């Protein structure tokens, strides 16, 4: 009677990745983030707000003749260009709040420039509706900028300034126009102070004039590690916005 002896069952080598596809490679050592040192553009933006707010408020208060609209428009036009430049540079500085605020002011200067220069029918009421709507948007931006005290201070004054001026343009009320002009002069003063304080801070390397900042000014006193904190989640570095 023949008998067969079963030998041991031999198996092939175990797969290197028993669970399926191999894990993605760790590419963190291959990633490089290049930083471009830039000066803060906000002092230029604040100075632009201050100068143009003064011009518009002077006209609104009746200190300039009514036929000076074209001259006012020509003064506002360079402000639109400068404010756009400030907004773009704020984007490169990874400051979304400042970029939004500065480009929004640029849009305001452009609208006022066109309406003052062309002065189509019903321009005053249309400008009033625009300013009231614009003041609501500025309020929303201000609520996101509370940690940036200088910018928040400018926006706090800008909200009533644009809303009151808008109501004055819609209703034609002279008292409201004078109140809007007064708020415009206050906005100019606050913006001028913020610009000067930031310029002094930038040139001296430390805070000279108080701007209501809480804690350490990381941009001036912080080390490189504090500047790069959470950079992997910044726009342009992360995959989607």
């Amino acid at each position: 009677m023949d008998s067969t002896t079963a030998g041991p069952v031999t198996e092939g080598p175990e797969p290197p990745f028993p669970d399926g596809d191999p894990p993605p490679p760790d590419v963190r050592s291959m990633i490089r983030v290049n930083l471009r040192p830039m000066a803060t553009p906000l002092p230029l933006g604040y100075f632009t707000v201050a100068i143009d707010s003064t011009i518009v408020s002077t006209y609104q208060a009746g200190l300039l003749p009514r036929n000076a609209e074209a001259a006012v428009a020509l003064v506002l036009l360079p402000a639109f260009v400068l404010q756009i430049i400030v907004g773009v540079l704020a984007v490169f500085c990874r400051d979304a709040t400042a970029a939004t605020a500065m480009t929004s002011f640029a849009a305001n200067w452009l609208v006022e420039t066109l309406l003052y220069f062309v002065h189509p029918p019903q321009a005053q009421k249309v400008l009033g509706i625009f300013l009231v709507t614009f003041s609501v948007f500025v309020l929303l931006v201000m609520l996101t900028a509370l940690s940036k005290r200088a910018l928040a201070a400018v926006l706090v004054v800008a909200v009533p300034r644009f809303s009151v001026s808008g109501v004055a343009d819609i209703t034609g009320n002279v008292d409201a126009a004078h109140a809007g002009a007064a708020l415009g002069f206050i906005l100019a003063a606050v913006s001028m102070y913020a610009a000067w304080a930031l310029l002094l801070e930038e040139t001296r390397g430390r805070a000279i004039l108080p701007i209501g900042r809480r804690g350490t000014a990381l941009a001036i006193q912080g080390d490189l590690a504090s500047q790069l904190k959470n950079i992997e989640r910044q726009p342009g570095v992360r995959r989607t916005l």
Side-chain angles (χ1 to χ4, degrees):
M1 184 174 180
D2 294 336
S3 62
T4 58
T5 302
V9 178
T10 60
E11 298 180 355
E14 294 185 359
F17 305 105
D19 295 332
D21 296 333
D26 187 358
V27 298
R28 287 177 294 181
S29 61
M30 297 183 289
I31 295 175
R32 297 292 184 269
V33 178
N34 297 320
L35 302 180
R36 182 186 298 108
M38 295 180 65
T40 174
L42 288 182
L44 176 61
Y46 293 146
F47 275 130
T48 305
V49 172
I51 294 171
D52 279 51
S53 184
T54 299
I55 297 298
V56 174
S57 297
T58 302
Y59 177 77
Q60 191 176 6
L63 300 178
L64 292 174
R66 304 310 297 177
N67 60 359
E69 287 183 337
V72 172
L74 292 176
V75 174
L76 294 180
L77 184 58
F80 160 71
V81 178
L82 291 177
Q83 212 86 54
I84 280 290
I85 294 174
V86 172
V88 172
L89 293 178
V91 171
F92 287 121
C93 291
R94 299 182 294 123
D95 194 331
T97 303
T100 302
M102 293 296 109
T103 51
S104 299
F105 275 114
N108 176 75
W109 303 137
L110 180 60
V111 168
E112 293 194 14
T113 295
L114 295 176
L115 291 181
Y116 280 144
F117 192 78
V118 180
H119 198 70
Q122 302 298 318
Q124 185 172 354
K125 289 188 177 181
V126 172
L127 177 60
I129 296 173
F130 169 79
L131 290 178
V132 170
T133 308
F134 182 70
S135 68
V136 175
F137 176 73
V138 172
L139 174 63
L140 298 178
V141 177
M142 181 203 72
L143 295 177
T144 67
L146 295 179
S147 61
K148 305 174 186 294
R149 294 304 181 88
L151 179 59
V154 172
L155 298 181
V156 163
V157 185
V159 171
R161 185 263 183 275
F162 289 118
S163 59
V164 172
S165 296
V167 171
D169 287 334
I170 294 173
T171 62
N173 187 284
V174 176
D175 292 335
H178 289 167
L183 290 169
F185 290 126
I186 297 175
L187 174 61
V190 174
S191 300
M192 193 74 73
Y193 177 85
W196 190 33
L198 289 182
L199 277 179
L200 287 175
E201 183 177 274
E202 185 79 7
T203 55
R204 303 289 181 84
R206 58 187 178 87
I208 303 297
L209 296 177
I211 55 175
R213 181 185 283 115
R214 293 183 299 180
T216 302
L218 293 179
I220 300 297
Q221 300 166 280
D223 55 14
L224 183 60
S226 65
Q227 301 296 307
L228 301 181
K229 184 179 180 181
N230 297 326
I231 192 173
E232 68 274 9
R233 286 184 280 274
Q234 293 293 327
V237 178
R238 62 179 186 245
R239 185 171 183 178
T240 56
L241 298 180

